[in-house]
Amino acid sequence: MDPEEEVGKVWDRLISGAARTAYPEAAVTLDGLRPRLGLLFRALGGDPGLSIEAAGAEPHGARRSLLQRIAGSHRRVERAWADAEALRLPERIDLFPDAERNRDLYLWVAALAALDRTAEGPSGWERGPWLTARALARLPGMRARYARLAEAYLPLRPDPKRLPADEAAAERAVREALIDPRQPLALPAARRPPYPVALWLHPHPPRWDEPRAPAGDDGEPADPEGEGETRALEDRRRRRGQQVAMPERNSGLLLFPFDSILSWSEYLNVDRPTEEDEDLDNAASAADDLDLLSLARDNRRSASRLRFDLDLPSAANDDTPLGSGILLPEWDYRRGTHRPDHCRLQPMVALEAEPTPLPHHLHRTARRLRAQFQQLNPVRTWRKAQPDGTEIDLDAYERFAAERAAGQASGEPALYQDLRGGDRRLACLLLADLSLSTDTWVNSEARVIDVIRDSLFLFAESLAATGDAFALYGFSSRKREHVRFHVLKEFGERYGEGVRGRLAAIKPGFYTRMGTALRQATHLLGKRSAEQRLLLLLTDGKPNDMDQYEARYGVEDTRMAVREAREAGLQPFCVTIDRDAEDYLPHLFGSQGFVVIRTPEELPRRLPQLYAQLTQ
């Protein structure tokens, strides 16, 4: 190694270490606290529709120390805030030397965000102490935690004695507001804003549809990696994007080359579907230097679009459509109303589904489940005092004879008894997610779709043993105009090798427009006359699709579809193998309306058992 390079690396380590103010050994991560934070946020009244996501590090523009400027560090900081889609918290907190304080800070900012539900009160920097005072008044149990945090945090703030006069006055005002948040913050004008306050929410949360303001700092955009942090984590913590209009093709780059240099650095055309670009490494390097990546939708009909369409099965090789499709509404939570006839659901049946026996590897489990489920059949009992039947009811005859002798007999005598079977009067519709995400591997031998297929086999074998009415459907989607609804077994259809052939033919593809599929399932199950109507959803992830049906939009539409099913007298229940499901399923199905299967391999065995528990 070149001696100069070796000396440079040593110097970089020394400067970076001297400028570092974090405590990596006491770090607490968002992933480790996500369930607890979600529970706290929703329990305090936070919007239950918000997911919990990592907030990227952003330039703050405050003054940094000389060492920090030399090291090129501390230009960006992670702050907490909530928007219409998510509660955004730091990816990790290592501000304090002990993990307990870092954990307390997570809980504190989550509580602040839960109470920040109104537009009343000041905005900007002044909202921090106002919201803090509000939280301390409403949450007495948080007062001791806040006092400990404030006491430990104040020494970590910039020293006013080392700041210019105007910035020192602003820093002293911030310190006073941290000590006594009941006093309004009067932030004096200064050349630079105060250093971000970790105990407050973001004073100016970024909007995803607008570009971010520049940092206004004089440091180099180089963030040294912290100890124990990978480059991927650093990249995820700071990178942000925005969607912009597609720039014009003839933007004057040849006519005004010097004026266009900045445009080239800010706009990178990374749509290279037809050929490899020898400058990809340069493009990646340029992208690394950007705080904000701008993405635009290219409406050209390019080879990439053609290649995507070629991935779709042709009409001759696709499943057979049944009819021209069904128009269904969709819930738009932003407008607070349904969009009528917004989605087209297309029922389909497998094109090549040869009748097939039960797969051999399921024989033993199926035999055991059938024996267990046969015990769920109602026991045949004698029904006494009937007007007709197979045998005379001696007790009823003696009562009738005594009443007639006393002159009290009246009406038609009911002197018979009959042995009749019970009636469970149950109907179940199972809706299986067949999206492309089920093509992932559970282990070296099976994919998620294979686990789902085996689960459907065993579920059908079990219910066939009880005689309960049941139907099986699968779904996937490619935008709202094409929601595929696969008919695997209808209610009036006998379970046999024909149904098994359709189950064997299922394959993953496309996306998960869950709300539309649930509405069709509600319609089909709602037509059944039964005392208990169970709507089971089997899935491996959140609702999503290509045309804005993602994040909160898809979650809220699915939640409304579940609500509509309950209003129709159905019992919706979700079975999932998504380990992150506890972040969003309580909002969709309620705390008792779902179960998470931690080990996907257990799903085939657990699914019939869950049915037995739900229909007891």
Side-chain angles (χ1 to χ4, degrees):
M1 181 180 293
D2 183 64
E4 292 184 2
E5 184 178 354
E6 181 68 25
V7 171
K9 287 188 175 183
V10 172
W11 172 254
D12 181 70
R13 285 197 297 268
L14 289 174
I15 293 298
S16 298
R20 185 174 296 126
T21 57
Y23 298 90
E25 67 280 359
V28 177
T29 63
L30 177 61
D31 288 341
L33 278 181
R34 193 184 302 269
R36 185 177 177 184
L37 293 171
L39 181 62
L40 174 68
F41 178 72
R42 296 177 179 97
L44 295 181
D47 191 335
L50 300 185
S51 60
I52 299 179
E53 306 292 345
E58 297 180 315
H60 52 77
R63 183 174 298 277
R64 298 176 296 154
S65 68
L66 177 61
L67 272 177
Q68 291 169 354
R69 292 199 298 271
I70 295 174
S73 64
H74 294 74
R75 291 186 64 248
R76 303 180 181 90
V77 67
E78 293 175 323
R79 289 181 272 192
W81 79 92
D83 55 27
E85 298 291 341
L87 167 62
R88 307 188 186 276
L89 300 174
E91 180 87 17
R92 58 184 282 153
I93 293 181
D94 50 11
L95 182 64
F96 300 106
D98 60 299
E100 183 180 0
R101 293 289 179 272
N102 293 322
R103 191 177 299 109
D104 284 347
L105 182 54
Y106 261 126
L107 298 174
W108 170 252
V109 293
L112 281 186
L115 297 180
D116 190 19
R117 305 188 303 270
T118 177
E120 65 174 299
S123 60
W125 284 89
E126 290 77 12
R127 191 168 183 82
W130 178 84
L131 192 59
T132 299
R134 181 175 178 153
L136 295 177
R138 295 193 178 187
L139 307 173
M142 284 284 188
R143 294 173 183 171
R145 176 176 280 116
Y146 176 79
R148 291 193 300 269
L149 285 172
E151 182 182 5
Y153 179 61
L154 284 173
L156 305 179
R157 298 282 305 169
D159 187 354
K161 297 178 181 178
R162 299 186 177 183
L163 297 175
D166 56 345
E167 297 175 27
E171 176 61 28
R172 283 191 289 270
V174 168
R175 287 171 171 264
E176 292 173 2
L178 284 167
I179 297 172
D180 185 6
R182 295 171 298 177
Q183 301 298 323
L185 174 63
L187 198 63
R191 178 173 175 268
R192 294 177 182 269
Y195 197 83
V197 181
L199 274 62
W200 297 346
L201 300 183
H202 199 315
H204 304 287
R207 293 182 54 184
W208 302 109
D209 57 345
E210 292 183 357
R212 209 134 321 144
D217 201 358
D218 53 359
E220 293 297 324
D223 279 338
E225 298 179 7
E227 296 180 9
E229 292 183 342
T230 65
R231 180 176 178 82
L233 176 60
E234 284 298 315
D235 191 58
R236 188 167 67 250
R237 293 173 72 183
R238 75 173 181 89
R239 191 165 311 282
R240 282 294 176 266
Q242 65 171 347
Q243 187 167 347
V244 298
M246 188 67 184
E248 295 293 335
R249 299 292 168 188
N250 299 323
S251 57
L253 292 177
L254 295 179
L255 295 178
F256 307 100
F258 296 102
D259 294 340
S260 302
I261 290 176
L262 182 60
S263 299
W264 272 110
S265 66
E266 292 179 344
Y267 170 68
L268 299 175
N269 187 354
V270 295
D271 181 14
R272 299 182 175 91
T274 57
E275 60 185 24
E276 294 294 331
D277 192 328
E278 60 183 7
D279 293 330
L280 281 178
D281 291 338
N282 294 335
S285 177
D288 272 341
D289 292 335
L290 299 178
D291 293 330
L292 184 67
L293 297 181
S294 299
L295 307 176
R297 183 181 297 277
D298 191 347
N299 294 321
R300 291 181 303 163
R301 295 186 177 276
S302 62
S304 60
R305 175 66 178 272
L306 177 62
R307 189 159 57 242
F308 178 82
D309 288 342
L310 289 177
D311 288 338
L312 304 178
S314 64
N317 296 318
D318 199 2
D319 292 341
T320 304
L322 304 177
S324 59
I326 303 169
L327 294 177
L328 292 171
E330 187 167 271
W331 175 256
D332 186 342
Y333 82 97
R334 299 184 187 95
R335 302 178 183 179
T337 184
H338 282 94
R339 292 182 173 184
D341 299 338
H342 188 67
C343 300
R344 182 177 295 276
L345 180 136
Q346 180 61 65
M348 313 188 81
V349 67
L351 176 65
E352 297 179 358
E354 297 293 333
T356 182
L358 183 70
H360 180 73
H361 69 280
L362 298 177
H363 279 189
R364 185 174 181 179
T365 306
R367 189 182 309 114
R368 176 171 52 83
L369 289 173
R370 280 195 297 265
Q372 294 175 355
F373 273 70
Q374 284 173 352
Q375 300 176 10
L376 297 178
N377 281 325
V379 179
R380 300 180 70 190
T381 58
W382 286 102
R383 298 195 179 185
K384 296 179 175 294
Q386 301 296 315
D388 55 61
T390 57
E391 298 182 16
I392 295 177
D393 184 349
L394 295 179
D395 292 337
Y397 183 81
E398 290 177 359
R399 285 195 302 269
F400 174 74
E403 290 173 354
R404 186 172 62 178
Q408 298 177 356
S410 62
E412 292 292 331
L415 307 178
Y416 298 92
Q417 61 181 0
D418 195 17
L419 185 62
R420 300 180 185 178
D423 185 9
R424 279 164 56 91
R425 293 188 59 77
L426 295 175
C428 176
L429 188 150
L430 189 147
L431 185 61
D433 176 3
L434 304 181
S435 61
L436 194 60
S437 60
T438 61
D439 199 28
T440 56
W441 290 86
V442 174
N443 51 45
S444 59
E445 299 178 356
R447 300 170 299 165
V448 172
I449 190 66
D450 301 323
V451 173
I452 291 177
R453 183 185 296 109
D454 288 351
S455 303
L456 295 177
F457 273 126
L458 294 179
F459 185 78
E461 293 287 331
S462 302
L463 267 65
T466 67
D468 293 342
F470 72 99
L472 304 174
Y473 294 90
F475 75 98
S476 59
S477 63
R478 185 170 62 87
K479 300 186 179 180
R480 64 184 181 90
E481 299 90 354
H482 190 67
V483 182
R484 301 161 68 90
F485 198 73
H486 302 269
V487 179
L488 305 176
K489 180 193 175 300
E490 297 182 292
F491 274 112
E493 187 177 5
R494 178 181 173 273
Y495 174 69
E497 292 191 350
V499 174
R500 294 192 192 103
R502 289 180 219 144
L503 295 179
I506 64 174
K507 52 186 178 292
F510 313 110
Y511 299 88
T512 317
R513 209 173 197 96
M514 198 173 287
T516 306
L518 282 171
R519 288 186 176 90
Q520 178 64 8
T522 297
H523 171 71
L524 295 172
L525 185 56
K527 295 191 296 184
R528 303 293 301 181
S529 57
E531 293 180 357
Q532 184 178 8
R533 294 174 293 181
L534 180 62
L535 174 55
L536 284 178
L537 173 65
L538 178 58
T539 181
D540 72 329
K542 296 177 68 172
N544 72 89
D545 208 335
M546 298 172 65
D547 54 347
Q548 299 181 349
Y549 196 86
E550 57 185 1
R552 189 171 182 184
Y553 185 95
V555 167
E556 292 297 338
D557 176 60
T558 302
R559 181 171 183 259
M560 179 56 69
V562 172
R563 178 180 176 182
E564 293 164 6
R566 289 200 176 99
E567 292 175 350
L570 310 184
Q571 181 184 353
F573 191 88
C574 180
V575 182
T576 183
I577 58 176
D578 181 9
R579 296 185 179 182
D580 295 329
E582 292 177 348
D583 291 342
Y584 61 90
L585 278 187
H587 181 58
L588 298 182
F589 290 87
S591 59
Q592 304 299 319
F594 70 96
V595 65
V596 180
I597 307 296
R598 301 293 180 182
T599 307
E601 297 93 325
E602 297 182 2
L603 180 60
R605 178 179 56 85
R606 291 284 305 278
L607 184 59
Q609 295 175 352
L610 285 169
Y611 175 82
Q613 295 172 8
L614 292 171
T615 58
Q616 285 180 349

